[in-house]
Amino acid sequence: MSKSPKRYTITAALPYTNGPIHIGHLAGVYVPADIYSRYLRLKGRDVAFVCGSDEHGVAIPMKAKKEGISPRELIDKYHGIIAKSFEDFGISFDNYSRTSAEIHHETASDFFKALYKEGDFIEETTEQLYDEQAGQFLADRFVTGTCPKCGNEEAYGDQCEKCGSSLNATDLINPKSTLSGAIPSLKETKHWFLPLDRYEPFLREWILESHKHDWKPNVYGQCKSWIDEGLKPRAVTRDLDWGIPVPVEGADGKVLYVWFDAPIGYISATKEWAAREGKNWETYWKDEDTKLVHFIGKDNIVFHCIIFPAMLKAHGSFILPDNVPANEFLNLEGQKLSTSKNWAVWLHEYLEEFPDMQDVLRYTLTVNAPETKDNDFTWKDFQARNNNELVAIFGNFINRVLVLSQKYYDGVVPAPTTLTETDKEVLATLDSFPETLTDSLERYRFREACQELMNMARSGNKYLADEAPWTVIKEDEERVKTIMYVALQVAAGLAVLSEPFLPFTATALRRMLNFEDRDAENNLWISTNSIQELLPPGHQLGSPELLFRKIEDKEIQQQIDKLEATRKQNENKETALIPQKDTIQFEDFSQLDLRVGTILEAEKMPKTKKLLVLKVDTGLDVRTIVSGIAESFDAADIIGKQVTVLVNLAPRKLRGVESQGMILMTENSEGKLVFVSPAKAGVGNGTTIN
């Protein structure tokens, strides 16, 4: 690729339509991809920023079955939620497509046929893991077991996320199906394989030599580990009935493997966009003057850096990615994000609970981005970033500048008089910010760039506080004109340079400064180097408004409580159950005489911690039952409680008191006793339970 590309193709990992978008997806992929695309557009570059819903794979029909709907209903449901969430959050895709679209089916099928025609696949019958209970072969991600390399007991069938080793499902020790929990068996099946080993020399040269210094260490390191282990053929087809049918004879009941089909979704999404915009899609994928960049999370590195490039190389007519700036993982309140456990901050819920505060989340996720290591999102940090930085620094500076401009000059930019050394220093610093941010953004250091943006606001805030125009106005009105002029130029610079990071804020600020009609064609990113071109003297400003609001403690506590409820719910699900006892016959059960009873009296047995002496009306009689529940209940609280009683249990003396039966109890997730009770069932004492 040339050093000065004529155009950019930016891709963001296709989200899987088995659930909504959460903050881990945003921090790892979509916010950095959007920042980069917006930055390029501000510089007047030709950009195609594409993405789409990934709607194939075995998880889709399984999730649909769980929800009691068809696979089509499932993907339509989540595609709608995801697409709207991205739109409302301001992710500026040029096209958001989906892999169920006809254009994608055609593109993926044609891609497969092109490689098939050239003999790039190996056709082979192998033994693969089969789930007898689910009645299907298991995709790699639906097998877990012990990694043979490091002993991690939760390795997937394609990769161990702990040590990064490349695996086949059959390599796992003690494999288990994630669909049914069953131990899978081996069964013969025919598939087509991409011989990655054939492309190992190319990948070694292209990645390990050519990208040794410009790819992120975490990406380069994982690629090196895979290549050094020795690459093996990878199946590109699967035994499923949901997906893109394999377009060759003898492939009935087989579909393209989702990791073969999904990255081709970038190409089909570009085709769809180009047709709509009257452009030639091929220049964005086949022209050496195009820069291709994939934004992904670290769990997708191998597919975007090794498998997809090998596919593109095999095809022969496509360019290769210039960079794959994958991020690490974002945790939530110290725990790994989990869709299945609902341990997440869901984007669509955030947008409802914090309306018009998209930029607060964008900012927090960017300054805390997991660029080089896993990072943690906490609601307290979210609140602090908003209140201490966005409100107290950025928002405070803008509000004071605009309010004072309205108060002193009726919202007209004043003409400066004599510039002091301090004034010149502030303007010189402002001149340097576009280059500073550009340097960080071109190296995919979005966290660093966002911090520099806040430093720009911080310098403006400090300048205004130090110069104190509200005090100087009493003695030197001419000096205040210069102070306000300089401060307004900083505000204008923020309005332009904040757009990639805080697009909603930038739009509001440009409206307040009354130059929102100036767009990327004016090359505003560069024009910040010419201060007077932004807000010249005599320019009429708009009306001031607050950019950010303070977030109160109670709002944060609500979110923390919400997560705590999820944590307890997960603990309940994970509570170890006592294994089933030996099988009994119906005759054994029928000997138990279970009756509804009511506790009439209850008192603590002297000199014991656990025992209560109860008088229970069983309908047959009133009898004494001694029960070991004193540590869980106060005697007075259970009088009148309707309970289940085993009435034909042989009497037994406890501490000299004869107990004539047993009260049925269970334990909740916290280990507290709970009555097995027929309460509110409308049954009377003595009613049998059978």
Side-chain angles (χ1 to χ4, degrees):
M1 190 210 71
S2 63
K3 292 185 178 180
S4 300
K6 292 181 179 179
R7 68 195 67 80
Y8 292 76
T9 300
I10 312 299
T11 75
L14 307 188
Y16 206 42
T17 48
N18 65 340
I21 294 296
H22 60 57
I23 56 170
H25 302 130
L26 294 173
V29 178
Y30 305 109
V31 169
D34 189 59
I35 290 172
Y36 189 62
S37 298
R38 287 177 178 273
Y39 151 73
L40 291 173
R41 293 193 199 102
L42 267 179
K43 298 195 77 171
R45 304 296 173 82
D46 182 0
V47 175
F49 178 26
V50 297
C51 188
S53 294
D54 182 358
E55 300 174 327
H56 295 141
V58 70
I60 297 299
M62 295 304 297
K63 182 68 178 286
K65 184 178 180 181
K66 186 177 180 181
E67 293 194 11
I69 57 179
S70 69
R72 168 55 67 176
E73 288 174 314
L74 183 87
I75 64 175
D76 286 348
K77 170 186 172 181
Y78 285 115
H79 172 75
I81 291 173
I82 292 169
K84 188 175 189 307
S85 296
F86 280 144
E87 181 181 357
D88 292 346
F89 194 60
I91 302 297
S92 61
F93 296 124
D94 291 297
N95 191 40
Y96 187 78
S97 189
R98 55 193 306 185
T99 60
S100 61
E102 184 178 349
I103 192 171
H104 176 68
H105 277 242
E106 292 175 355
T107 303
S109 293
D110 289 346
F111 199 108
F112 180 93
K113 285 187 285 188
L115 270 59
Y116 180 83
K117 184 178 179 182
E118 294 299 319
D120 287 311
F121 295 131
I122 299 170
E123 186 177 321
E124 192 172 319
T125 297
T126 61
E127 287 189 326
Q128 294 198 7
L129 295 178
Y130 186 83
D131 186 331
E132 300 284 353
Q133 289 187 26
Q136 66 182 61
F137 285 95
L138 294 172
D140 296 335
R141 284 269 153 170
F142 290 89
V143 186
T144 59
T146 301
C147 173
K149 307 287 179 64
C150 72
N152 171 28
E153 295 181 354
E154 297 180 353
Y156 288 107
D158 59 351
Q159 181 182 9
C160 175
E161 293 187 351
K162 185 174 181 180
C163 69
S165 297
S166 169
L167 301 171
N168 288 311
T170 51
D171 296 333
L172 294 174
I173 301 168
N174 299 322
K176 182 176 70 174
S177 167
T178 62
L179 302 181
S180 67
I183 298 172
S185 60
L186 287 171
K187 190 173 181 179
E188 284 193 346
T189 183
K190 181 176 70 175
H191 283 295
W192 286 263
F193 293 76
L194 181 67
L196 289 178
D197 49 327
R198 190 184 300 170
Y199 300 95
E200 188 173 314
F202 147 69
L203 291 167
R204 186 175 293 278
E205 169 63 28
W206 175 61
I207 299 175
L208 302 189
E209 297 300 327
S210 300
H211 289 295
K212 189 172 187 176
H213 302 294
D214 62 330
W215 281 17
K216 293 171 70 171
N218 59 317
V219 178
Y220 182 86
Q222 192 174 132
C223 290
K224 188 175 187 305
S225 175
W226 270 70
I227 294 170
D228 286 348
E229 278 187 17
L231 299 177
K232 300 175 183 177
R234 299 280 292 187
V236 297
T237 59
R238 281 291 183 268
D239 291 285
L240 288 173
D241 56 4
W242 180 256
I244 300 174
V246 177
V248 296
E249 288 186 15
D252 294 343
K254 300 181 190 297
V255 299
L256 299 182
Y257 183 26
V258 69
W259 276 113
F260 181 88
D261 126 50
I264 298 172
Y266 302 138
I267 301 171
S268 59
T270 308
K271 281 185 177 181
E272 193 174 62
W273 164 76
R276 187 175 66 235
E277 299 296 324
K279 295 177 179 285
N280 178 8
W281 75 268
E282 290 190 296
T283 60
Y284 292 87
W285 278 96
K286 297 183 177 181
D287 192 315
E288 289 298 326
D289 286 330
T290 297
K291 183 174 181 177
L292 173 62
V293 183
H294 296 311
F295 284 89
I296 59 168
K298 71 175 179 181
D299 53 335
N300 288 336
I301 288 174
V302 65
F303 300 106
H304 288 77
C305 296
I306 292 180
I307 297 177
F308 190 43
M311 290 163 55
L312 296 174
K313 182 71 172 177
H315 195 286
S317 61
F318 288 88
I319 59 172
L320 299 172
D322 182 77
N323 212 311
V324 186
N327 276 351
E328 299 293 292
F329 289 149
L330 184 73
N331 296 321
L332 172 60
E333 299 285 354
Q335 289 188 29
K336 186 176 180 179
L337 282 153
S338 172
T339 298
S340 61
K341 294 182 179 179
N342 194 32
W343 189 255
V345 176
W346 303 106
L347 178 55
H348 67 293
E349 291 182 359
Y350 172 87
L351 293 169
E352 293 174 0
E353 294 164 0
F354 292 91
D356 302 318
M357 296 182 72
Q358 297 96 324
D359 284 352
V360 180
L361 184 57
R362 286 178 67 109
Y363 177 76
T364 303
L365 294 178
T366 304
V367 296
N368 198 32
E371 291 182 345
T372 56
K373 62 182 180 62
D374 290 358
N375 263 358
D376 196 35
F377 175 93
T378 70
W379 281 110
K380 289 290 187 182
D381 179 65
F382 168 81
Q383 180 187 29
R385 296 287 187 185
N386 178 78
N387 294 353
N388 301 339
E389 296 172 21
L390 292 175
V391 173
I393 298 172
F394 196 120
N396 181 57
F397 169 64
I398 295 299
N399 187 58
R400 289 201 293 183
V401 169
L402 286 167
V403 168
L404 290 175
S405 296
Q406 288 288 345
K407 181 178 180 181
Y408 298 155
Y409 312 115
D410 294 325
V412 176
V413 178
T417 53
T418 304
L419 294 174
T420 66
E421 287 303 312
T422 300
D423 300 334
K424 293 176 183 177
E425 184 178 331
V426 170
L427 294 177
T429 301
L430 178 59
D431 281 347
S432 70
F433 269 109
E435 185 177 347
T436 298
L437 267 61
T438 293
D439 180 63
S440 296
L441 292 170
E442 290 290 355
R443 291 181 293 133
Y444 311 103
R445 296 184 178 182
F446 304 106
R447 181 174 179 167
E448 180 181 273
C450 196
Q451 290 167 339
E452 288 294 344
L453 179 74
M454 186 55 68
N455 285 339
M456 183 177 171
R458 192 174 279 112
S459 67
N461 211 29
K462 183 178 186 303
Y463 170 75
L464 207 59
D466 290 347
E467 297 300 317
W470 47 85
T471 300
V472 177
I473 192 74
K474 301 170 186 176
E475 302 172 356
D476 190 348
E477 292 186 4
E478 290 301 307
R479 171 61 189 150
V480 172
K481 290 179 181 178
T482 303
I483 295 172
M484 295 309 300
Y485 169 82
V486 171
L488 282 165
Q489 303 316 312
V490 177
L494 285 170
V496 174
L497 299 179
S498 66
E499 203 275 342
F501 310 93
L502 310 169
F504 295 90
T505 301
T507 298
L509 182 49
R510 285 165 65 142
R511 183 173 62 249
M512 286 189 268
L513 296 175
N514 195 26
F515 69 102
E516 68 267 27
D517 59 332
R518 300 176 65 178
D519 55 27
E521 292 180 5
N522 299 99
N523 220 347
L524 277 182
W525 190 270
I526 303 234
S527 71
T528 48
N529 288 321
S530 184
I531 301 302
Q532 285 79 0
E533 288 181 11
L534 289 175
L535 291 179
H539 175 80
Q540 178 65 56
L541 303 170
S543 302
E545 56 189 80
L546 291 178
L547 289 175
F548 307 99
R549 70 164 180 85
K550 186 178 180 183
I551 296 175
E552 302 298 336
D553 290 345
K554 65 178 182 180
E555 297 177 81
I556 297 303
Q557 192 58 50
Q558 286 174 349
Q559 297 300 324
I560 294 173
D561 291 345
K562 186 176 174 182
L563 283 174
E564 186 58 31
T566 297
R567 189 198 306 273
K568 288 183 178 178
Q569 188 176 24
N570 288 333
E571 289 174 355
N572 291 349
K573 292 178 181 178
E574 293 170 2
T575 300
L577 299 178
I578 297 173
Q580 178 181 304
K581 296 180 180 179
D582 292 341
T583 301
I584 63 172
Q585 302 303 314
F586 177 76
E587 291 73 17
D588 298 321
F589 172 75
S590 64
Q591 293 182 50
L592 301 176
D593 192 347
L594 300 171
R595 305 271 179 147
V596 176
T598 299
I599 298 174
L600 302 178
E601 299 177 15
E603 62 179 0
K604 187 86 178 290
M605 179 177 280
K607 299 181 181 180
T608 67
K609 290 183 178 181
K610 296 183 178 181
L611 300 181
L612 288 181
V613 180
L614 311 175
K615 293 290 186 183
V616 181
D617 181 354
T618 68
L620 303 173
D621 53 26
V622 174
R623 64 178 65 185
T624 299
I625 296 177
V626 180
S627 184
I629 60 175
E631 292 181 317
S632 298
F633 302 97
D634 290 331
D637 292 340
I638 62 173
I639 294 174
K641 181 77 176 175
Q642 203 170 41
V643 295
T644 300
V645 186
L646 177 60
V647 295
N648 64 336
L649 184 67
R652 181 185 178 191
K653 278 194 175 183
L654 296 169
R655 296 289 183 106
V657 178
E658 186 174 76
S659 180
Q660 300 170 305
M662 180 180 288
I663 308 292
L664 268 61
M665 311 291 295
T666 187
E667 288 185 352
N668 64 17
S669 62
E670 298 173 352
K672 294 181 179 179
L673 291 176
V674 177
F675 288 104
V676 177
S677 171
K680 298 182 182 180
V683 295
N685 293 341
T687 303
T688 58
I689 297 171
N690 50 43

